[in-house]
Amino acid sequence: MMKLKATLVRLAIVLLLAKFLIVDSANLSVGFYRGKCGFIDVETLVATVITARFFQDPTIVAALLRLQFHDCFTNGCDASILIDGMRSEKTAPPNHSIRGYEIIDEAKAAVEKFCPALVSCADIIAMATRDAVFLSGGGRYNVETGRRDGLVSVAENVSLLSPRISVPEAIAAFSRKGLNATDMVLLLGAHSVGVTHCSLIKHRLYNFEGTGNHDPTMEIFLVNQLRLRCAPDITAADMTVNLDQNPFSPFLMDVSYYQNILLHRGILQIDQELGMHPLTFPIVRNLAFNSFDYPSRFGAAMVKLGGISVLTGRQGEIRRSCRATNS
């Protein structure tokens, strides 16, 4: 009888601890760090770093958006992409052109100076990206914080979307991350800033699907314009091309991306196919002609992206350096 009571007591303790662990690992929240660093506002510290960087180089908007997307689509939003190492995520081919690591380092250093071992690198990525989007005219959305940093970063875990992926395949890939077709179209709107490389679009300019001609869905003036920059010779330099060919808004988060798609001026193959497939065309059309609510809708999609497979509570750790685990 005594053994039974002891067993029941132990079971009750286990269940009670499990309950607290579940509470610890509850959803992220806006203002998670409020009041946890004395009179210092953590989000203001990060914003100060990002603002200074933005005015030095507005291309950081695209860099940080891509950094967050690549991080969240691998192990979840756990800053595993920041870890250095011979076989870390950084070394995977899709991440070779990722930029912005030093920006996160700078923001982390600013936070650590006042609030050591408090703010995760994963949260800094989310806050820094939000601030960059705001500075580029994309509106200011509320970032949910409370993430913890991951302990594993392996190149083999990196599996990202090809720019030649079909719309149904892309929808399926986003669905596996808990994102729907509208979220996908909104997040791909990040292509209104940034660049791609000629190597990723040459097939659309010279030999689309073995025809020996350009992709017929691409507007001919754009074809000729891009051919001036992207030579057919595979040994030529892999030049960059603006994803938004609007000369007035290459660094602005706006609806020109969707307007370009409707004009058959999408740069990447997946971009143009969004405006042609029945599953995504209505979404593209709606966004192209509703610039007023685009910032809030894009922000909502970014919040959903930032919630993919997060670590909270006692999971993971708060890294001292974003480039290495604490152990």
Side-chain angles (χ1 to χ4, degrees), residues 195-214:
V195 299
T196 188
H197 287 83
C198 288
S199 58
L200 296 178
I201 62 171
K202 278 184 180 179
H203 70 289
R204 298 192 70 202
L205 302 178
Y206 297 103
N207 189 27
F208 186 69
E209 295 184 352
T211 62
N213 208 337
H214 66 84

Side-chain angles (χ1 to χ4, degrees), residues 13-30:
I13 292 172
V14 169
L15 292 174
L16 185 61
L17 287 173
K19 179 181 178 181
F20 282 118
L21 284 174
I22 291 171
V23 172
D24 268 350
S25 301
N27 293 334
L28 307 176
S29 61
V30 174

Side-chain angles (χ1 to χ4, degrees), residues 171-210:
I171 290 175
F174 275 78
S175 178
R176 289 192 290 271
K177 303 297 182 181
L179 302 168
N180 59 36
T182 300
D183 298 324
M184 180 188 78
V185 176
L186 282 162
L187 291 171
L188 288 176
H191 290 173
S192 65
V193 294
V195 299
T196 188
H197 287 83
C198 288
S199 58
L200 296 178
I201 62 171
K202 278 184 180 179
H203 70 289
R204 298 192 70 202
L205 302 178
Y206 297 103
N207 189 27
F208 186 69
E209 295 184 352

Side-chain angles (χ1 to χ4, degrees), residues 62-318:
L64 290 174
L65 279 164
R66 192 160 177 251
L67 176 66
Q68 183 174 7
F69 183 84
H70 281 222
D71 181 50
C72 292
F73 250 64
T74 300
N75 285 336
C77 307
D78 65 350
S80 53
I81 195 172
L82 303 179
I83 296 176
D84 289 335
M86 292 184 63
R87 295 180 57 209
S88 72
E89 290 175 28
K90 282 183 178 180
T91 67
N95 291 335
H96 287 174
S97 58
I98 289 290
R99 299 186 298 121
Y101 298 122
E102 75 288 350
I103 301 173
I104 303 302
D105 288 339
E106 186 178 344
K108 175 67 170 175
V111 171
E112 286 292 303
K113 180 178 179 180
F114 296 99
C115 325
L118 175 67
V119 184
S120 69
C121 300
D123 276 344
I124 290 175
I125 291 175
M127 290 186 283
T129 304
R130 182 270 313 275
D131 295 334
V133 168
F134 170 68
L135 290 166
S136 68
R140 184 175 180 83
Y141 52 93
N142 288 323
V143 164
E144 296 179 324
T145 45
R147 297 169 188 78
R148 306 264 292 177
D149 296 323
L151 302 173
V152 177
S153 181
V154 180
E156 287 77 8
N157 290 340
V158 177
S159 178
L160 295 161
L161 309 184
S162 163
R164 299 194 192 190
I165 193 172
S166 71
V167 168
E169 289 171 333
I171 290 175
F174 275 78
S175 178
R176 289 192 290 271
K177 303 297 182 181
L179 302 168
N180 59 36
T182 300
D183 298 324
M184 180 188 78
V185 176
L186 282 162
L187 291 171
L188 288 176
H191 290 173
S192 65
V193 294
V195 299
T196 188
H197 287 83
C198 288
S199 58
L200 296 178
I201 62 171
K202 278 184 180 179
H203 70 289
R204 298 192 70 202
L205 302 178
Y206 297 103
N207 189 27
F208 186 69
E209 295 184 352
T211 62
N213 208 337
H214 66 84
D215 182 345
T217 68
M218 182 181 281
E219 189 260 332
I220 188 61
F221 182 79
L222 178 62
V223 171
N224 292 331
Q225 183 181 352
L226 294 176
R227 281 177 172 176
L228 293 175
R229 189 158 182 83
C230 300
D233 186 355
I234 61 172
T235 63
D238 196 7
M239 305 293 285
T240 58
V241 173
N242 284 341
L243 285 167
D244 184 352
Q245 288 290 304
N246 184 337
F248 302 105
S249 64
F251 304 119
L252 294 179
M253 287 293 303
D254 57 21
V255 297
S256 63
Y257 166 76
Y258 305 105
Q259 294 168 348
N260 286 333
I261 288 173
L262 294 181
L263 295 171
H264 292 270
R265 293 179 62 84
I267 302 299
L268 296 176
Q269 187 170 329
I270 181 59
D271 292 338
Q272 190 54 60
E273 290 191 5
L274 291 179
M276 300 167 56
H277 198 282
L279 291 174
T280 49
F281 168 69
I283 306 170
V284 170
R285 180 179 56 190
N286 177 270
L287 289 167
F289 296 107
N290 287 281
S291 60
F292 179 76
D293 66 348
Y294 171 67
S296 61
R297 295 181 68 184
F298 179 78
M302 287 296 293
V303 170
K304 288 185 70 174
L305 172 71
I308 295 176
S309 301
V310 294
L311 304 176
T312 57
R314 300 180 187 180
Q315 300 170 318
E317 64 182 9
I318 304 296

Side-chain angles (χ1 to χ4, degrees), residues 38-85:
F39 63 90
I40 298 295
D41 184 85
V42 167
E43 297 200 24
T44 298
L45 280 178
V46 174
T48 300
V49 172
I50 301 308
T51 300
R53 283 281 192 160
F54 175 83
F55 286 111
Q56 292 172 5
D57 177 13
T59 69
I60 71 164
V61 183
L64 290 174
L65 279 164
R66 192 160 177 251
L67 176 66
Q68 183 174 7
F69 183 84
H70 281 222
D71 181 50
C72 292
F73 250 64
T74 300
N75 285 336
C77 307
D78 65 350
S80 53
I81 195 172
L82 303 179
I83 296 176
D84 289 335

